[in-house]
Amino acid sequence: IDHEPALWCGQPGHEDRRLTVAAVDHLVRTHAAIAGLADVSAHDLRHTAASLAIDAGEPLHRLRDRFGHSSVLVTSGYIHA
């Protein structure tokens, strides 16, 4: 297991198993479909969270750090006209 931050499953007997990016995306897509929302991904939720934070006035450098972007230029891609 690498040392990257991770979500953990925490189910009895599987406490040491990490949730993969694909597993999280599958969960989001499955539950979005159950809720009647078509074609929603984990990336869509990440993008929405970043856009809302920017709209609320969070400084780009803080958002860059929180999202692990390499530069503020990448983070600025979440700014909508």
Side-chain angles (χ1 to χ4, degrees), residues 28-54:
V28 169
R29 288 179 187 277
T30 298
H31 290 281
I34 290 168
L37 304 171
D39 203 29
V40 175
S41 69
H43 182 77
D44 294 329
L45 296 181
R46 177 181 167 93
H47 188 88
T48 299
S51 296
L52 290 171
I54 289 169

Side-chain angles (χ1 to χ4, degrees), residues 2 4 8 13 22 25 27 37 40-41 43 45-46 48 51-52 56-57 62-64 68-69 73-75 77 80-81:
D2 60 51
E4 292 294 318
W8 298 89
D25 193 57
L27 287 168
L37 304 171
V40 175
S41 69
H43 182 77
L45 296 181
R46 177 181 167 93
T48 299
S51 296
L52 290 171
R62 283 186 43 207
L63 198 59
R64 174 203 62 212
H69 292 155
L73 290 175
V74 174
T75 308
H80 302 284

Side-chain angles (χ1 to χ4, degrees), residues 2 11-12 15 18-19 22 27 32-33 38 42 45-46 49 52 54-55 57-58 60-62 64 67-68 70 73 81:
D2 60 51
Q11 295 179 1
E15 293 87 356
R18 298 164 59 122
L19 285 174
L27 287 168
L45 296 181
R46 177 181 167 93
L52 290 171
I54 289 169
D55 289 348
E58 183 164 347
L60 286 178
H61 70 278
R62 283 186 43 207
R64 174 203 62 212
F67 279 75
S70 58
L73 290 175

Side-chain angles (χ1 to χ4, degrees), residues 5-27:
L7 292 174
W8 298 89
C9 186
Q11 295 179 1
H14 299 283
E15 293 87 356
D16 62 335
R17 295 188 63 194
R18 298 164 59 122
L19 285 174
T20 64
V21 172
V24 171
D25 193 57
H26 176 73
L27 287 168

